Amino acid sequence: MDINLSDLHKEIDESVRKICSEFSDDYWMECDEEARFPEEFYNAMAKSGWLGITMPEELGGAGLGVTEAAIMMHAVAASGGGQSAASAIHINLFGPHSIVVHGSEEQKKRWLVPLIKGEEKACFGVTEPDAGLDTTSIKTFAKKVDGGYIVNGRKMWTSTGQEAHKIVLLTRTTPKEECKRPTDGMTLFYADLDRTKIEVRRIKKMGRNAVDSNATYIDDYFIPECDRIGEEGKGFYYLLDSLNPERVLVGIEAIGIGRSALDKAAKYAQERVVFGRPIGQNQGIQHPLAEAWTYLESAYWMCLRAADLYDKGLPCAAEANAAKFLSARAAFDTCTKAVLTHGGMGYAREYHVERLLRESVLPRIAPVTEQMILSFIGEKVLGMPKSY
């Protein structure tokens, strides 16, 4: 078994890091403090063709796999941009995958080409206020009418909704109680984000402020039938195509955040002198940071293991979930230790580790909680009864 990065993977890492090096910690702090989308970074990545890394070659993409996307996103998050950098381009990698697999040729050309070029941005409308992770209980409803559907409903945590031109929207087209299975009767759309019919209200939050999250209100919005992805009623199953890649990418982005924080902490420990010696000479500082490295490294390879399985068409749900779980925990622990290593200055924005700590909380919560992951593994891997 070869667990080394290939020459292609090393080239991706090096090339992406070179672009990211043009955007300093101060740039990312400014974007965070001003709650401003990192347009310059987004455009730089688009210009270099990275937004289409997983998209079909015939549409201008690179046609590469989740493994290559994971290596790219690790480099992005590790650059100091953290979640603000990663989330700015993240949806281009997993959000449109249902279009790649289930969209018509006309839809792929119409929708994916502008995404790859960076001419359009998309957001993701799945989660709802009263459904949360119980996706089968969503209430946003698309009523069939001549030529399309009339949609009414509410969505929560719609990332990049302030910037987006399009929305990947999951709705019910058959009430849950009328379906044979709760996962039936849901339909997926890729529609214009028409702000005359859709209100996108920004949520003030703890971190990742450069990339907006929103409460979304949809009232009597007409979506033409040509903007439906695949068959009516199959939307939930189409959505599953994106879930495992999303977990891998969120996990490896968390690793990038942790490694960025660890680098800053190790550097500070070498430079900070107390009682006549650098604090990094003390095992009380060395050992927690060394331990953090071991957890980050092991979680990193778990992410690549899951990505490799996915790219080979093999079952990977347990590995993808485990990768996300381990990575989020490792990143949060590392960022906490980085702040503590800096002492009082860790609480100051000047050293940037507090920003990374705030952003490291998100992967522990989204896109799926740790408790749901453990329930999944308990049931599907260990064979125990379903607990919810």
Side-chain angles (χ1 to χ4, degrees):
M1 178 182 295
D2 186 1
I3 58 172
N4 295 307
L5 296 182
S6 68
D7 289 341
L8 172 62
H9 296 154
K10 293 175 183 177
E11 182 180 347
I12 291 171
D13 181 76
E14 182 180 348
S15 299
V16 172
R17 286 180 187 271
K18 185 176 181 180
I19 296 172
C20 293
S21 68
E22 300 174 10
F23 300 91
S24 67
D25 285 342
D26 290 337
Y27 169 83
W28 292 112
M29 181 60 78
E30 179 184 301
C31 289
D32 182 74
E33 290 180 341
E34 296 178 1
R36 177 175 70 83
F37 186 82
E39 197 72 43
E40 301 86 356
F41 169 75
Y42 178 88
N43 290 337
M45 292 295 286
K47 183 179 179 181
S48 299
W50 292 110
L51 300 188
I53 189 171
T54 60
M55 296 293 109
E57 290 184 78
E58 61 270 20
L59 299 177
L64 297 175
V66 173
T67 303
E68 289 75 27
I71 290 168
M72 179 184 90
M73 295 310 296
H74 174 262
V76 167
S79 71
Q83 284 286 342
S84 294
S87 295
I89 60 176
H90 179 105
I91 194 171
N92 278 67
L93 308 183
F94 80 88
H97 193 65
S98 55
I99 300 171
V100 175
V101 178
H102 302 287
S104 68
E105 293 305 313
E106 184 274 332
Q107 288 175 332
K108 293 177 188 178
K109 185 176 181 179
R110 175 160 56 99
W111 291 337
L112 298 181
V113 171
L115 279 177
I116 294 168
K117 292 181 177 179
E119 297 170 349
E120 291 183 352
K121 300 183 185 77
C123 60
F124 213 52
V126 175
T127 304
E128 295 190 4
D130 299 323
L133 291 172
D134 183 10
T135 305
T136 63
S137 295
I138 65 168
K139 296 178 181 177
T140 296
F141 199 86
K143 181 181 178 182
K144 190 73 175 72
V145 296
D146 289 342
Y149 301 80
I150 296 291
V151 181
N152 286 278
R154 304 288 182 264
K155 296 293 180 181
M156 281 292 289
W157 301 110
T158 309
S159 294
T160 69
Q162 298 294 326
E163 302 287 331
H165 306 86
K166 297 281 190 174
I167 183 169
V168 179
L169 185 63
L170 184 69
T171 73
R172 276 216 164 269
T173 41
T174 304
K176 182 178 179 179
E177 58 273 15
E178 296 179 15
C179 296
K180 182 178 179 180
R181 294 174 294 186
T183 50
D184 293 341
M186 286 184 275
T187 300
L188 197 61
F189 297 93
Y190 189 73
D192 291 333
L193 193 61
D194 182 353
R195 297 175 194 275
T196 66
K197 296 292 185 180
I198 303 175
E199 180 187 359
V200 184
R201 190 180 302 170
R202 189 166 192 150
I203 299 170
K204 293 183 179 180
K205 57 187 191 297
M206 178 180 180
R208 204 198 69 172
N209 293 307
V211 176
D212 55 271
S213 299
N214 303 274
T216 303
Y217 303 82
I218 306 168
D219 295 299
D220 293 330
Y221 177 44
F222 175 77
I223 299 179
E225 191 164 351
C226 62
D227 286 351
R228 187 189 71 214
I229 301 172
E231 296 180 42
E232 182 179 301
K234 301 293 185 181
F236 181 83
Y237 305 102
Y238 298 159
L239 195 64
L240 294 178
D241 292 320
S242 301
L243 294 187
N244 289 326
E246 182 186 27
R247 282 154 173 67
V248 171
L249 294 178
V250 169
I252 209 159
E253 290 161 11
I255 295 301
I257 294 171
R259 284 182 164 164
S260 179
L262 183 60
D263 288 345
K264 295 180 189 302
K267 181 180 179 181
Y268 185 81
Q270 295 174 56
E271 297 174 348
R272 174 64 170 163
V273 175
V274 179
F275 298 119
R277 56 193 275 160
I279 62 173
Q281 193 172 343
N282 302 318
Q283 291 179 352
I285 297 294
Q286 275 189 17
H287 287 187
L289 297 182
E291 184 179 354
W293 181 91
T294 66
Y295 286 121
L296 289 171
E297 186 72 4
S298 59
Y300 174 79
W301 289 105
M302 188 65 178
C303 288
L304 291 188
R305 164 69 174 159
D308 183 62
L309 289 172
Y310 181 88
D311 289 337
K312 291 177 177 176
L314 299 172
C316 66
E319 290 81 1
N321 277 283
K324 189 269 184 188
F325 179 93
L326 293 171
S327 300
R329 284 278 184 96
F332 179 77
D333 177 66
T334 302
C335 290
T336 302
K337 288 174 177 174
V339 169
L340 296 177
T341 298
H342 283 74
M345 296 312 296
Y347 207 63
R349 294 196 170 187
E350 176 185 356
Y351 286 84
H352 299 280
V353 287
E354 64 82 29
R355 171 172 58 86
L356 296 175
L357 174 60
R358 287 188 281 115
E359 295 198 342
S360 73
V361 176
L362 183 59
R364 294 193 66 178
I365 302 169
V368 60
T369 64
E370 295 176 348
Q371 293 75 24
M372 290 295 287
I373 287 176
L374 295 176
S375 293
F376 175 86
I377 292 174
E379 178 190 352
K380 301 297 184 180
V381 179
L382 302 180
M384 293 186 282
K386 187 172 183 178
S387 62
Y388 62 94

